[in-house]
Amino acid sequence: MKISLWTIGKTNELYVKAGIDDFTKRISRYFPVEWHIIPVPKNSGMLSEMDLKKKEAEIILEWLRPDDFLVVLDEKGKQLTSEGLARFIQTRSNESVKNIVFLIGGAFGLDQQLIDKAKFNWSLSNLTFPHQLVRLILAEQIYRACTILRNEKYHHK
């Protein structure tokens, strides 16, 4: 199974890039992993919030393949413990999912069309985080889940 981490926005700021790169490299010891940073649509400043989300959704839907398992990160999603995320990833692997896509939306979140298409809607927290930090948290939590699945010492219970 491959893990794809998709995000809408600008490239990573230097203050989080090193951490994202480190955790991505660590994840690659367990699963093939890649990041796709989807640029904000052109003229986004001229679009309404709703139109911008629709435009972002159009781009993402073009990228998705029919057999991708889409997980959207959304504030209204279900929260998981680290152990729950590990079980979630293991279940997808057991189901022979070829590619699991974790999608971080743009500044205004995700268009309803993407939320409806998702096979899982996940909330990292009730707190609001900057998108750059969500990327880092996502990478770290996926790495943590991988270590839990292998009974490695990284996670303490």
Side-chain angles (χ1 to χ4, degrees):
M1 179 176 77
K2 179 175 157 189
I3 295 177
S4 296
L5 307 165
W6 294 7
T7 183
I8 298 169
K10 298 175 184 166
T11 57
N12 296 320
E13 296 287 341
L14 291 178
Y15 75 97
V16 293
K17 184 178 181 349
I20 291 169
D21 290 347
D22 180 45
F23 285 115
T24 303
K25 184 177 176 185
R26 292 182 192 198
I27 295 165
S28 72
R29 296 193 305 241
Y30 306 93
F31 296 100
V33 60
E34 66 182 356
W35 279 93
H36 288 288
I37 299 178
I38 301 161
V40 175
K42 290 184 179 2
N43 301 325
S44 61
M46 308 292 270
L47 300 173
S48 69
E49 179 180 321
M50 185 187 310
D51 288 340
L52 179 58
K53 290 192 319 185
K54 272 192 188 324
K55 192 80 159 160
E56 291 168 347
E58 288 170 10
I59 294 167
I60 291 162
L61 290 169
E62 285 178 19
W63 284 33
L64 276 173
R65 293 185 308 264
D67 59 345
D68 285 342
F69 190 102
L70 179 61
V71 176
V72 294
L73 277 73
D74 180 67
E75 63 186 4
K76 297 178 187 111
K78 180 178 179 177
Q79 292 191 7
L80 297 171
T81 63
S82 295
E83 293 87 356
L85 178 60
R87 285 189 300 273
F88 178 84
I89 289 172
Q90 184 64 60
T91 300
R92 303 296 77 79
S93 182
N94 292 348
E95 294 171 346
S96 298
V97 167
K98 290 181 182 167
N99 188 38
I100 185 167
V101 174
F102 290 90
L103 174 63
I104 301 167
F108 297 110
L110 295 165
D111 187 72
Q112 189 63 44
Q113 185 174 300
L114 287 170
I115 294 169
D116 293 343
K117 181 146 183 82
K119 294 188 176 156
F120 189 72
N121 189 339
W122 178 29
S123 172
L124 288 178
S125 171
N126 287 328
L127 299 171
T128 301
F129 299 114
H131 279 70
Q132 296 283 318
L133 290 183
V134 171
R135 296 174 191 179
L136 179 59
I137 293 166
L138 174 62
E140 189 279 336
Q141 283 299 300
I142 291 173
Y143 170 69
R144 181 178 297 273
C146 292
T147 65
I148 290 169
L149 293 173
R150 294 270 179 95
N151 294 316
E152 295 174 356
K153 289 187 177 191
Y154 183 78
H155 180 74
H156 303 285
K157 182 80 175 158

